[in-house]
Amino acid sequence: MTATPEAPVEAPVLDAAAVHIRASQERKATLVQSIHQRTSDITRRPWESLAVFVGFTGFYIWFGYWLVVKMHVVGFETLDRLDRALMIWHNDPAKLSALGFDYPPLATLLISPLAIFPGVTSSLVAVPLASAVFAGIVMVALNTMMRRAQLLAPLRVAVLVALGLNPLFLLYAADGARQFVWLAFVVVAMGGIVAWYITADVRYVMLSGLAFSVAALAGYSSLLWFVLTALMIGAILAKLGADGVEVEGTTIGFAVPTAYVIALWTVFNLILLAKPLYWITSASDAGGIDPGSFTGVELVQATGSLVLYGAPIAIVVLPALIFVGVARSNPLALWLGILLGAAVVSPALSAALHLTDSPMQLRNALPILVFSVIGGIWIARSAETNNAIVSAVLIVLMLVSIPWTFQAMKSYRYQNLESNFAAALSTRDSQEGAKTLSGATVGTVDEQATADYITANIADKNSILTDNSQTYAVILLTGRPDLFVDRVDKSDGPWKDIAASPAGVVDYLLIATGDNDLLGQQYPHAADGSDPCLMVIYRTDRYVLLGVPADFDPDGGTCAAASTDGAAQ
């Protein structure tokens, strides 16, 4: 028999789905990050995190109550944001647009729950709460970061206590400052980056991106570190051997949430104000100084003073990060050094670009201080067997800087309430009526007296016309924004129409005696009581409450005979 030749065996034909699956498997095998699997990481300790949060938050609330309510060291920027939060819930009509555009929206929105009950804000208890909660978040994030850096529990506690008692950190954690709102989410984001670098788990990159998206709308300064962190992620992946697809995908995944919220906020500015970049150009800080007064040499000198007195540990940590990054091929250390360097130069950069009116104030050392601590933690982890020694050195440097910074707060040239904070701690005397180094008066005695008179004598809603951009503290302390016809109620146009002819619409005008009050500009003789048609009902050094006659005609100059009977002085 003749053998029949065997038919050739054909290779199996794979469908498109099978090809895709095989390609995906091969692709995952080349990734330098973990996807869809839990990597080795520290054990979760929710009770420890809760203890850190409750302990530090509670301490800052207690200390803040003493500082704000007893010592009367309170920032008016915080009162402004709390008044806007109060208007969100209790104005007539209540409006979310009370947020405005001159503050980052989340700086006010995130503290708005404190205003649900007006008594919390009118008693000023909400002031320390507005920052203490976020300072507690900072401490939790740093503690978790230190656990990943393998610091022993006693050393972690020492670092947190040394940072928590730093006078600069203490003042702004207890005084309601908005710096802690965005700083908390930046620190959480940096904790995610450290976790990603240690575990190679890409989920932490995405969590970091989400944290930055919140930080971006809580404080525009955080955008600088967002951009640098995006560059850092791409650079680290490239150094680890990731291909272009992985680098691009990870970086885009990190950046998308923040890019989205910034684009959305820009569109809101375009639609509502016809100025898409108004959120950048209008950002300001109450009580700031003129950034145009600085020369290049003065900016360099001011930057040196800011670091030297506000965050002196940066002088040690910054070169150490650069050395560890270069000498040990430690890319995260190098990039943390770049981030810390950015924190150092950003105040001067903001002044040069005219992005702020308070660029060199001592509070701008807070990010430098926090990034120095983060850098010190990473140096300790990179020291391996010398971890405890490096941690101890970090703690000593932080403890030594406490009296150094406290002493500097008494006389530092560019500041807000630092000297009064130092005086309150040193003397235990109330700072009501004291002067800041810039000449502003500390305390709320005029605001409280005016608010008390209004709540005791006026009950009709929308009966007091006022420029809330100048009288926000009085409105806040009444707890009754519905008593006022303010610029939030019907927007500036209708408000100005009422201001031009208030008779029959409102019964009173509340004017701040400074130069910026729009009602004071409309009626220049009213604030000093020399307008014969507007009777002075109540007066303090900062505010005047005026009665509006039923036949008041600003254009014709006619009114009923003004009587001072019953007028309070």
Side-chain angles (χ1 to χ4, degrees), residues 106 185 208-218 226 254 256-259 261-262:
L106 294 187
F185 291 98
S208 176
L210 290 174
F212 263 120
S213 69
V214 178
L217 291 188
F226 161 73
F254 165 81
V256 161
T258 303
V261 298
I262 290 299

Side-chain angles (χ1 to χ4, degrees), residues 232-478:
M232 174 179 67
I233 291 169
I236 289 177
L237 285 175
K239 183 175 178 59
L240 295 175
D243 62 21
V245 175
E246 185 176 358
V247 173
E248 180 182 353
T250 304
T251 306
I252 290 176
F254 165 81
V256 161
T258 303
Y260 174 77
V261 298
I262 290 299
L264 190 62
W265 188 232
T266 301
V267 170
F268 281 163
N269 279 254
L270 175 62
I271 293 173
L272 299 177
L273 303 173
K275 298 177 181 178
L277 298 181
Y278 186 80
W279 60 275
I280 297 177
T281 58
S282 69
S284 62
D285 296 312
I289 55 178
D290 179 13
S293 63
F294 289 96
T295 65
V297 173
E298 288 172 337
L299 281 176
V300 173
Q301 292 173 339
T303 298
S305 297
L306 192 64
V307 175
L308 179 61
Y309 297 113
I313 64 170
I315 299 173
V316 176
V317 173
L318 180 55
L321 285 169
I322 302 300
F323 173 79
V324 171
V326 174
R328 297 195 175 186
S329 297
N330 189 325
L332 184 58
L334 183 60
W335 275 96
L336 287 176
I338 293 173
L339 291 171
L340 177 54
V344 170
V345 303
S346 62
L349 186 63
S350 296
L353 298 177
H354 294 265
L355 295 178
T356 178
D357 63 358
S358 57
M360 307 311 295
Q361 287 195 3
L362 195 56
R363 65 187 177 192
N364 287 311
L366 267 176
I368 305 174
L369 176 63
V370 172
F371 273 99
S372 296
V373 173
I374 294 173
I377 291 170
W378 187 251
I379 292 172
R381 187 187 190 279
S382 302
E384 298 176 352
T385 56
N386 294 319
N387 181 303
I389 296 175
V390 174
S391 302
V393 171
L394 174 64
I395 293 166
V396 170
L397 291 174
M398 293 172 67
L399 291 174
V400 170
S401 70
I402 289 177
W404 175 262
T405 299
F406 183 75
Q407 191 64 30
M409 294 173 93
K410 298 178 181 179
S411 58
Y412 188 81
R413 180 179 178 184
Y414 307 114
Q415 60 168 278
N416 186 23
L417 292 169
E418 285 83 359
S419 63
N420 304 98
F421 166 79
L425 278 179
S426 300
T427 65
R428 304 297 193 273
D429 292 334
S430 170
Q431 297 299 295
E432 183 68 60
K435 297 290 185 179
T436 66
L437 291 187
S438 62
T441 302
V442 180
T444 57
V445 63
D446 285 358
E447 288 75 14
Q448 189 66 65
T450 307
D452 290 344
Y453 182 86
I454 288 173
T455 53
N457 295 279
I458 301 175
D460 294 337
K461 291 184 178 181
N462 297 315
S463 60
I464 308 171
L465 184 68
T466 192
D467 179 0
N468 57 283
S469 70
Q470 303 300 312
T471 60
Y472 52 82
V474 174
I475 299 173
L476 174 72
L477 293 173
T478 64

Side-chain angles (χ1 to χ4, degrees), residues 24 26-36 196 199-203 205-206 230 232-255:
S24 178
E26 293 173 352
R27 165 75 183 134
K28 290 179 180 179
T30 64
L31 291 175
V32 299
Q33 303 171 95
S34 300
I35 296 179
H36 298 308
W196 165 72
T199 66
D201 192 336
V202 72
R203 290 175 300 174
V205 172
M206 305 308 154
M232 174 179 67
I233 291 169
I236 289 177
L237 285 175
K239 183 175 178 59
L240 295 175
D243 62 21
V245 175
E246 185 176 358
V247 173
E248 180 182 353
T250 304
T251 306
I252 290 176
F254 165 81

Side-chain angles (χ1 to χ4, degrees), residues 537-554:
I537 304 296
Y538 187 81
R539 177 198 299 280
T540 67
D541 289 341
R542 294 181 184 173
Y543 305 94
V544 59
L545 181 67
L546 303 151
V548 179
D551 62 345
F552 176 51
D553 182 6

